[in-house]
Amino acid sequence: MGSEKKIILVTGGSGLVGQAIKQAKQQDPRENETFIFLTSKDGDLKDPAATQRIFERYKPTHVIHLAAMVGGLFNNMQHNLDFLRNNILINDNVLHNSHKLGVKKVVSCLSTCIFPDKTSYPIDETMIHNGPPHSSNFGYSYAKRLIDVQNHAYNHQHGCHFTSVIPTNVFGAYDNFNLEDGHVIPGLIHKAYIAKKEGKPLVVAGSGKPLRQFIYSIDLAKLFLFVLREYEEIEPIILSVDESSEVSIGEVAKMIADAFQLEHGIVLDETKSDGQFKKTASNKKLRGYLPDFQFMPLKDAIDRTVQWFNLNYNTARK
Ligand code: NAP
Ligand code: GFB
């Protein structure tokens, strides 16, 4: 089992999480593992024929499936249908071809935003299908929930070993720093960069009160390698920092303003939506497997991401 040759196809290999996995596997290599990191230039995974060509070309034994239409609150609110359709198409093509080519294991990526909006806390893996997700991202959420349904269907009918992980909000180098479409941390880092240049305050959308658990992309990447190499369940597993690390958007904005040493403070734009107030997730299952896993402190991870953005401003996605 341990030394079988693995050809690991990483769909969405050029994005935030894909780039982090590229770094993590270099820090923790295995002789029997060969990684192939895809970008959309290798082929549009919404297209069945293009997906089939990719699988026939690389003949993977294992797949880390990251490719998706991904975006922050405001992008989701405006494009729920596109998030639904594009992600359903991508996921079906990847899982179908994985089955056709006898792929031994697929690890797909869900998100804690897919859990029911009206729920008890902390959220755990058993609650995925217990009611409607938050209205701001129902398209993305139902497409991601369907992956869990597909994994069980492929296992029941064909004995496939397709599983999934459920990260909380992720951030780090190579993120999407677009001011409209991106997530809160890259969005605020880009805004702070501009505020610094223009000597203006940092504008935070909403009330600053919502709560989030943020995982640094490199920490998530290390956990992805653990799941690929050692996790044997079909049931999903939440990959999150501890509940005690949950912070408010206002606290995160302060960390980013401090990292840029902004001098004109922070203002709230309460005309903008807060989205989901909180989605507090339990990492009890993960801690059962990795009780001593060390997450990078949020402040340090934000400082590193700010440093990366300052150094790569010209080439960063924005
Ligand atoms: P990202 O930075 O936006 O990267 C998306 C990746 O998917 C890119 O490599 C992109 O290729 C590829 N892709 C998109 N559409 C494609 C298509 N039609 N055909 C082929 N490739 C396509 O996303 P990310 O933040 O790394 O997210 C990775 C996974 O984590 C996703 O499944 C996402 O749902 C999940 N997730 C993310 C977060 C978060 O906070 N970011 C939280 C929870 C879960 P190009 O680079 O060529 O465009
Ligand atoms: O990261 P974010 O876009 O996504 O927003 P969600 C988090 C919170 O940050 C919201 C506030 O309460 C926003 O109002 N916020 C403040 C900002 N300033 C900004 C800003 O400049 N940009 C952004 N984007 N937010 C997403 C889901 O929800 O979580 C996605 O919609 C995905 O589908 C992602 O799952 C992980 O955490 O609200």
Side-chain angles (χ1 to χ4, degrees):
M1 180 64 183
S3 60
E4 61 165 340
K5 279 242 160 290
K6 294 181 183 162
I7 299 175
I8 303 148
L9 188 69
V10 182
T11 74
S14 49
L16 165 69
V17 181
Q19 294 277 3
I21 291 177
K22 205 177 276 181
Q23 201 175 320
K25 68 102 181 167
Q26 275 153 6
Q27 286 162 359
D28 181 16
R30 296 282 189 287
E31 259 176 40
N32 65 324
E33 294 177 351
T34 303
F35 282 79
I36 298 144
F37 292 89
L38 293 180
T39 85
S40 61
K41 295 184 190 62
D42 292 292
D44 181 353
L45 293 171
K46 297 196 299 298
D47 171 6
T51 310
Q52 183 174 342
R53 281 194 297 275
I54 289 171
F55 273 75
E56 285 171 353
R57 177 170 172 209
Y58 292 111
K59 298 184 177 38
T61 61
H62 294 69
V63 173
I64 293 180
H65 174 38
L66 304 173
M69 180 178 174
V70 180
L73 170 64
F74 307 113
N75 193 356
N76 273 271
M77 287 169 71
Q78 285 150 23
H79 304 106
N80 266 298
L81 177 62
D82 298 344
F83 275 93
L84 179 68
R85 295 197 65 232
N86 291 341
N87 288 318
I88 285 177
L89 290 169
I90 291 172
N91 300 334
D92 187 54
N93 288 329
V94 169
L95 294 176
H96 177 63
N97 280 279
S98 295
H99 163 54
K100 269 204 325 189
L101 265 87
V103 166
K104 293 195 179 87
K105 186 172 183 176
V106 177
V107 182
S108 293
C109 197
L110 313 184
S111 172
T112 54
C113 78
I114 74 171
F115 283 101
D117 184 39
K118 300 201 174 17
T119 180
S120 57
Y121 297 101
I123 293 165
D124 71 43
E125 290 83 354
T126 67
M127 300 173 178
I128 284 188
H129 305 288
N130 289 5
H134 191 265
S135 57
S136 64
N137 53 51
F138 69 86
Y140 175 86
S141 297
Y142 280 118
K144 289 290 188 181
R145 287 186 185 188
L146 204 54
I147 290 179
D148 180 51
V149 177
Q150 286 162 302
N151 287 347
H152 284 89
Y154 276 106
N155 180 257
H156 290 174
Q157 193 169 330
H158 299 295
C160 296
H161 194 139
F162 299 170
T163 189
S164 62
V165 299
I166 316 176
T168 53
N169 290 45
V170 192
F171 73 98
Y174 300 97
D175 207 338
N176 180 1
F177 294 83
N178 181 279
L179 295 172
E180 283 77 40
D181 297 346
H183 291 101
V184 59
I185 289 183
L188 290 179
I189 287 176
H190 191 175
K191 282 181 185 176
Y193 181 95
I194 297 167
K196 179 85 179 176
K197 279 206 170 336
E198 299 177 354
K200 293 199 174 128
L202 171 63
V203 180
V204 174
S207 69
K209 294 198 178 80
L211 302 172
R212 298 286 186 270
Q213 288 155 295
F214 293 103
I215 186 167
Y216 186 45
S217 58
I218 298 295
D219 289 339
L220 176 61
K222 292 175 185 168
L223 296 173
F224 249 107
L225 293 180
F226 157 75
V227 171
L228 176 78
R229 291 165 177 167
E230 298 171 42
Y231 182 72
E232 296 304 331
E233 301 179 39
I234 303 294
E235 293 299 327
I237 182 167
I238 290 173
L239 301 181
S240 170
V241 294
D242 303 332
E243 289 159 60
S244 56
S245 302
E246 187 176 53
V247 288
S248 74
I249 298 302
E251 287 168 308
V252 171
K254 176 96 179 43
M255 291 179 197
I256 293 168
D258 292 350
F260 278 94
Q261 295 170 324
L262 293 187
E263 290 158 2
H264 302 278
I266 293 172
V267 296
L268 297 174
D269 174 359
E270 302 205 55
T271 68
K272 295 277 178 30
S273 168
D274 272 340
Q276 197 165 20
F277 182 72
K278 70 176 192 174
K279 37 187 166 177
T280 315
S282 160
N283 65 1
K284 190 159 170 258
K285 184 174 181 179
L286 174 65
R287 284 295 186 203
Y289 283 98
L290 299 172
D292 307 319
F293 186 85
Q294 295 285 325
F295 292 97
M296 183 177 293
L298 183 58
K299 179 79 182 88
D300 300 350
I302 284 179
D303 288 349
R304 287 187 185 204
T305 309
V306 166
Q307 218 173 24
W308 182 88
F309 187 67
N310 281 326
L311 285 173
N312 297 278
Y313 180 79
N314 294 331
T315 53
R317 273 187 294 168
K318 55 185 188 296

